[in-house]
Amino acid sequence: MERPHYKIAVIPGDGIGAEVVREGLKVLEVACKAEGVSYETVSFDIGGERYLRTGETLPDSVLDELRKFDAIYFGAIGHPDVPPGILERGILLKLRFALDLFVNLRPVKLYPGVETPLKEKTPEDIDFVVVRENTEDVYALEGTSFQHGTENEVAIQPAIYTRRGTERVIRYAFELAVRRAKERGKPAKVTLVDKANVMTVGHGLWRRVFSEVAKEYPNVETEALYVDAAAMEFVLHPERFQVVVTTNLFGDILTDLGAAIQGGIGIAPSGNIHPGKVSMFEPVHGSAPTIAGKGLACPLAAILTAALMMEHLGETKVAQRIEEAVAKALQTGKIRSLEAGKMGLSTQEAGDLVASLV
């Protein structure tokens, strides 16, 4: 059987995006060569610099091109000379909505050799994944205000939840829990995080759909936590979680907390996924323009993002090679910290280290 040849779109973006993506592609090349996996990349000029030059964020013609790829490998977005919201809505959110990337997948994993701020917690305690709904909630609608700038100003920011959108992301979480449990030889568990005691309509829908879908998976343990309790449990008892499924807004917040307990955003990957269609993969961190071009950024999140991308494409051996190389690199002691400028290595040197261990 002939193996597939993958087409990967690369969007380095802004700030440190180009630097960390370069290292991710370096490691990806070595891992794919070792496993005989064939692919090609095409780079796209999308980001703050293009917007400042042309006034364009993500033209529809480019979006149409991206639909033809197997995956999108994304760096970071955010430019100091572009007002907040323009690039985020015009590029990131447009990609998520137009490509219907309804799952935001964020692993939370503590690797050996990485310090966590949680006292006495080990890699065995911190190893779960957050499934965040990615196309609804407060992100889907613009909102409006009345009597702007006056003492009587009223701001309205609506949240939208649909049964279809809620059900498909919850079902994805259950399927993921079953797969992870099989791989790890452990019972499967899914935790719903919401605020149904206050947001009784929208999050009441989440509760009902979660209960309905759970009946189809009798061997999967379930629980539901309010978001404030879940945030506390992320810190106190992260070992209780395996797969967490939650709304767009709560997922956005909780996954940064997840990144903190796994050692920082310098090692946090993510995927924006539509199963069976082109999906986009990006490190959790931003563009960090103040350190761009200085070789200070930690590339491990981008490297692990490449692994997540290959796992999604079905190339699990490539993904495993990359992840194991990152783990080995961390255990060498050569990477002293995951904070920018404190690694003890430059961005390129850290990438070279991982590549040498693939």
Side-chain angles (χ1 to χ4, degrees):
M1 182 177 176
E2 187 177 348
R3 300 191 68 173
H5 175 79
Y6 300 103
K7 289 185 65 178
I8 299 172
V10 179
I11 303 178
D14 301 317
I16 62 172
E19 297 170 64
V20 297
V21 161
R22 186 182 305 118
E23 301 313 310
L25 291 174
K26 177 193 298 178
V27 175
L28 178 65
E29 181 180 4
V30 177
C32 284
K33 186 175 181 180
E35 293 296 336
V37 173
S38 171
Y39 72 97
E40 62 183 285
T41 62
V42 179
S43 187
F44 288 82
D45 175 24
I46 299 293
E49 290 295 336
R50 175 173 179 153
Y51 174 77
L52 292 171
R53 278 196 326 268
T54 67
E56 295 179 313
T57 50
L58 178 61
D60 289 340
S61 59
V62 175
L63 186 60
D64 288 339
E65 283 188 69
L66 293 173
R67 296 180 195 276
K68 301 172 184 176
F69 285 80
D70 296 299
I72 302 168
Y73 186 44
F74 197 96
I77 210 74
H79 195 290
D81 297 329
V82 179
I86 291 177
L87 300 176
E88 292 81 359
R89 283 199 167 272
I91 299 175
L92 274 182
L93 292 186
K94 185 173 181 178
L95 282 165
R96 290 176 183 176
F97 295 145
L99 300 178
D100 198 22
L101 306 177
F102 67 89
V103 172
N104 184 266
L105 188 68
R106 295 195 179 183
V108 179
K109 182 173 183 176
L110 180 66
Y111 288 89
V114 176
E115 290 188 8
T116 174
L118 303 187
K119 184 180 179 182
E120 297 179 354
K121 296 299 181 184
T122 69
E124 291 185 359
D125 299 315
I126 303 174
D127 184 9
F128 61 94
V129 64
V130 178
V131 176
R132 165 191 170 192
E133 198 288 318
N134 209 29
T135 58
E136 298 188 349
D137 210 341
V138 296
Y139 299 79
L141 300 171
E142 286 282 358
T144 188
S145 64
F146 303 95
Q147 300 190 51
H148 185 79
T150 73
E151 63 180 12
N152 296 318
E153 182 172 353
V154 177
I156 300 174
Q157 188 75 54
I160 183 171
Y161 308 99
T162 68
R163 171 171 283 273
R164 174 177 177 269
T166 302
E167 182 177 345
R168 66 181 181 174
V169 77
I170 288 174
R171 191 174 299 281
Y172 181 94
F174 273 89
E175 290 291 333
L176 178 61
V178 171
R179 291 199 305 272
R180 281 173 55 89
K182 186 176 181 180
E183 291 167 1
R184 289 162 171 74
K186 296 180 179 180
K189 180 180 179 182
V190 179
T191 303
L192 170 67
V193 174
D194 61 29
K195 194 62 176 171
N197 58 334
V198 175
M199 303 174 70
T200 55
V201 178
H203 290 200
L205 172 63
W206 272 79
R207 283 278 171 125
R208 285 186 284 112
V209 173
F210 184 76
S211 179
E212 291 169 11
V213 173
K215 292 176 183 177
E216 301 176 30
Y217 297 86
N219 295 323
V220 178
E221 180 186 350
T222 62
E223 67 174 346
L225 293 176
Y226 298 136
V227 65
D228 42 350
M232 182 174 68
E233 287 296 281
F234 267 38
V235 174
L236 295 178
H237 304 111
E239 63 275 8
R240 79 180 286 172
F241 299 110
Q242 292 182 28
V243 174
V244 176
V245 63
T246 189
T247 63
N248 205 338
L249 178 60
F250 290 167
D252 195 357
I253 297 166
L254 285 175
T255 49
D256 274 21
L257 177 57
I261 68 173
Q262 73 181 108
I265 57 174
I267 199 169
S270 77
N272 299 270
I273 294 170
H274 189 126
K277 295 187 178 181
V278 58
S279 298
M280 179 175 70
F281 300 84
E282 59 176 322
V284 171
H285 63 68
S287 60
T290 57
I291 63 167
K294 299 179 180 179
L296 300 177
C298 179
L300 297 186
I303 293 170
L304 288 170
T305 292
L308 197 61
M309 176 174 67
M310 297 312 291
E311 183 178 0
H312 172 74
L313 292 174
E315 299 295 344
T316 54
K317 290 184 178 179
V318 174
Q320 187 175 4
R321 275 186 177 271
I322 295 173
E323 187 175 6
E324 288 177 354
V326 169
K328 291 175 185 176
L330 290 165
Q331 290 178 290
T332 64
K334 295 179 180 179
I335 300 175
R336 295 200 297 265
S337 170
L338 300 179
E339 283 189 57
K342 297 182 180 180
M343 286 190 297
L345 299 175
S346 69
T347 305
Q348 181 178 338
E349 288 170 338
D352 288 342
L353 175 60
V354 177
S356 72
L357 296 169
V358 170

Short mmCIF file of all heavy atoms in Angstrom, two decimals, residues 290-318:
data_model
loop_
_atom_site.label_atom_id
_atom_site.label_comp_id
_atom_site.label_asym_id
_atom_site.label_seq_id
_atom_site.Cartn_x
_atom_site.Cartn_y
_atom_site.Cartn_z
N THR A 290 8.66 41.62 21.83
CA THR A 290 9.82 42.23 22.50
C THR A 290 11.07 41.38 22.44
O THR A 290 12.18 41.89 22.61
CB THR A 290 9.49 42.54 23.98
OG1 THR A 290 9.11 41.32 24.64
CG2 THR A 290 8.36 43.56 24.08
N ILE A 291 10.91 40.07 22.21
CA ILE A 291 12.09 39.20 22.14
C ILE A 291 12.29 38.63 20.74
O ILE A 291 13.19 37.82 20.53
CB ILE A 291 12.03 38.06 23.17
CG1 ILE A 291 10.84 37.13 22.89
CG2 ILE A 291 11.98 38.60 24.59
CD1 ILE A 291 10.89 35.82 23.66
N ALA A 292 11.48 39.06 19.79
CA ALA A 292 11.57 38.51 18.44
C ALA A 292 12.93 38.80 17.82
O ALA A 292 13.49 39.89 17.97
CB ALA A 292 10.45 39.09 17.57
N GLY A 293 13.48 37.80 17.13
CA GLY A 293 14.75 37.96 16.44
C GLY A 293 15.98 37.87 17.31
O GLY A 293 17.10 38.02 16.82
N LYS A 294 15.80 37.61 18.59
CA LYS A 294 16.92 37.57 19.53
C LYS A 294 17.36 36.15 19.89
O LYS A 294 18.32 35.97 20.66
CB LYS A 294 16.57 38.34 20.80
CG LYS A 294 16.26 39.82 20.56
CD LYS A 294 15.89 40.52 21.85
CE LYS A 294 15.57 42.00 21.60
NZ LYS A 294 15.17 42.70 22.85
N GLY A 295 16.66 35.17 19.39
CA GLY A 295 17.03 33.78 19.70
C GLY A 295 16.76 33.38 21.12
O GLY A 295 17.39 32.46 21.65
N LEU A 296 15.79 34.05 21.77
CA LEU A 296 15.51 33.79 23.18
C LEU A 296 14.30 32.90 23.40
O LEU A 296 14.10 32.36 24.48
CB LEU A 296 15.28 35.12 23.91
CG LEU A 296 16.44 36.12 23.92
CD1 LEU A 296 16.03 37.40 24.62
CD2 LEU A 296 17.67 35.51 24.59
N ALA A 297 13.47 32.75 22.37
CA ALA A 297 12.21 32.02 22.54
C ALA A 297 12.44 30.52 22.66
O ALA A 297 13.30 29.95 21.99
CB ALA A 297 11.30 32.29 21.34
N CYS A 298 11.65 29.88 23.52
CA CYS A 298 11.71 28.42 23.66
C CYS A 298 10.90 27.79 22.52
O CYS A 298 9.72 28.08 22.37
CB CYS A 298 11.13 28.00 25.01
SG CYS A 298 11.13 26.21 25.26
N PRO A 299 11.51 26.90 21.74
CA PRO A 299 10.81 26.33 20.59
C PRO A 299 10.07 25.02 20.89
O PRO A 299 9.49 24.43 19.98
CB PRO A 299 11.96 26.06 19.61
CG PRO A 299 13.09 25.66 20.51
CD PRO A 299 12.93 26.51 21.77
N LEU A 300 10.10 24.58 22.14
CA LEU A 300 9.56 23.25 22.43
C LEU A 300 8.06 23.15 22.18
O LEU A 300 7.56 22.11 21.74
CB LEU A 300 9.89 22.85 23.88
CG LEU A 300 11.38 22.72 24.21
CD1 LEU A 300 11.56 22.18 25.63
CD2 LEU A 300 12.10 21.82 23.21
N ALA A 301 7.32 24.23 22.46
CA ALA A 301 5.88 24.20 22.20
C ALA A 301 5.61 24.02 20.71
O ALA A 301 4.73 23.24 20.31
CB ALA A 301 5.22 25.48 22.71
N ALA A 302 6.38 24.72 19.88
CA ALA A 302 6.21 24.59 18.43
C ALA A 302 6.62 23.21 17.95
O ALA A 302 6.00 22.65 17.03
CB ALA A 302 7.01 25.67 17.71
N ILE A 303 7.66 22.66 18.55
CA ILE A 303 8.11 21.31 18.17
C ILE A 303 7.06 20.27 18.55
O ILE A 303 6.73 19.38 17.76
CB ILE A 303 9.47 21.01 18.83
CG1 ILE A 303 10.55 21.92 18.24
CG2 ILE A 303 9.84 19.54 18.65
CD1 ILE A 303 11.88 21.86 18.97
N LEU A 304 6.51 20.38 19.76
CA LEU A 304 5.46 19.46 20.18
C LEU A 304 4.17 19.66 19.37
O LEU A 304 3.40 18.72 19.18
CB LEU A 304 5.17 19.63 21.67
CG LEU A 304 6.26 19.09 22.60
CD1 LEU A 304 6.00 19.52 24.04
CD2 LEU A 304 6.34 17.56 22.51
N THR A 305 3.97 20.88 18.89
CA THR A 305 2.83 21.14 18.02
C THR A 305 2.97 20.37 16.71
O THR A 305 2.00 19.84 16.17
CB THR A 305 2.70 22.66 17.75
OG1 THR A 305 2.33 23.32 18.97
CG2 THR A 305 1.65 22.95 16.69
N ALA A 306 4.19 20.29 16.19
CA ALA A 306 4.44 19.49 14.99
C ALA A 306 4.11 18.02 15.25
O ALA A 306 3.56 17.33 14.39
CB ALA A 306 5.89 19.65 14.54
N ALA A 307 4.44 17.55 16.45
CA ALA A 307 4.11 16.16 16.82
C ALA A 307 2.59 15.97 16.86
O ALA A 307 2.07 14.96 16.38
CB ALA A 307 4.73 15.82 18.17
N LEU A 308 1.89 16.93 17.44
CA LEU A 308 0.43 16.86 17.52
C LEU A 308 -0.18 16.83 16.12
O LEU A 308 -1.14 16.10 15.85
CB LEU A 308 -0.09 18.05 18.31
CG LEU A 308 -1.51 18.00 18.85
CD1 LEU A 308 -1.69 16.85 19.82
CD2 LEU A 308 -1.87 19.33 19.53
N MET A 309 0.39 17.62 15.22
CA MET A 309 -0.08 17.66 13.84
C MET A 309 0.09 16.30 13.17
O MET A 309 -0.83 15.80 12.49
CB MET A 309 0.69 18.73 13.06
CG MET A 309 0.37 18.81 11.58
SD MET A 309 1.20 20.21 10.76
CE MET A 309 2.92 19.70 10.88
N MET A 310 1.25 15.67 13.35
CA MET A 310 1.49 14.38 12.71
C MET A 310 0.64 13.27 13.33
O MET A 310 0.18 12.36 12.62
CB MET A 310 2.98 14.01 12.80
CG MET A 310 3.89 14.99 12.06
SD MET A 310 3.35 15.39 10.37
CE MET A 310 3.62 13.82 9.54
N GLU A 311 0.39 13.37 14.61
CA GLU A 311 -0.51 12.41 15.26
C GLU A 311 -1.91 12.52 14.66
O GLU A 311 -2.57 11.52 14.37
CB GLU A 311 -0.57 12.65 16.76
CG GLU A 311 -1.43 11.65 17.51
CD GLU A 311 -1.44 11.88 19.01
OE1 GLU A 311 -0.77 12.81 19.47
OE2 GLU A 311 -2.14 11.13 19.70
N HIS A 312 -2.36 13.75 14.43
CA HIS A 312 -3.67 13.97 13.82
C HIS A 312 -3.73 13.39 12.42
O HIS A 312 -4.77 12.85 12.00
CB HIS A 312 -3.98 15.47 13.78
CG HIS A 312 -5.20 15.81 13.00
ND1 HIS A 312 -6.47 15.59 13.46
CD2 HIS A 312 -5.35 16.35 11.75
CE1 HIS A 312 -7.35 15.97 12.56
NE2 HIS A 312 -6.69 16.44 11.51
N LEU A 313 -2.62 13.46 11.69
CA LEU A 313 -2.57 12.94 10.32
C LEU A 313 -2.44 11.42 10.29
O LEU A 313 -2.42 10.83 9.21
CB LEU A 313 -1.42 13.59 9.56
CG LEU A 313 -1.58 15.08 9.25
CD1 LEU A 313 -0.31 15.64 8.61
CD2 LEU A 313 -2.79 15.34 8.35
N GLY A 314 -2.32 10.82 11.45
CA GLY A 314 -2.22 9.36 11.52
C GLY A 314 -0.80 8.84 11.55
O GLY A 314 -0.60 7.62 11.59
N GLU A 315 0.18 9.74 11.56
CA GLU A 315 1.59 9.34 11.59
C GLU A 315 2.06 9.28 13.05
O GLU A 315 2.86 10.10 13.51
CB GLU A 315 2.43 10.29 10.76
CG GLU A 315 2.05 10.32 9.29
CD GLU A 315 2.31 8.99 8.57
OE1 GLU A 315 3.04 8.14 9.12
OE2 GLU A 315 1.76 8.80 7.47
N THR A 316 1.55 8.30 13.77
CA THR A 316 1.80 8.22 15.21
C THR A 316 3.27 7.95 15.54
O THR A 316 3.78 8.41 16.56
CB THR A 316 0.93 7.13 15.85
OG1 THR A 316 1.14 5.89 15.16
CG2 THR A 316 -0.54 7.50 15.76
N LYS A 317 3.97 7.21 14.66
CA LYS A 317 5.39 6.93 14.93
C LYS A 317 6.23 8.19 14.81
O LYS A 317 7.18 8.39 15.58
CB LYS A 317 5.89 5.84 13.99
CG LYS A 317 5.32 4.46 14.28
CD LYS A 317 5.93 3.40 13.38
CE LYS A 317 5.38 2.01 13.70
NZ LYS A 317 5.95 0.96 12.81
N VAL A 318 5.91 9.05 13.86
CA VAL A 318 6.60 10.33 13.74
C VAL A 318 6.34 11.18 14.98
O VAL A 318 7.26 11.76 15.57
CB VAL A 318 6.15 11.09 12.47
CG1 VAL A 318 6.77 12.49 12.44
CG2 VAL A 318 6.54 10.32 11.22
#
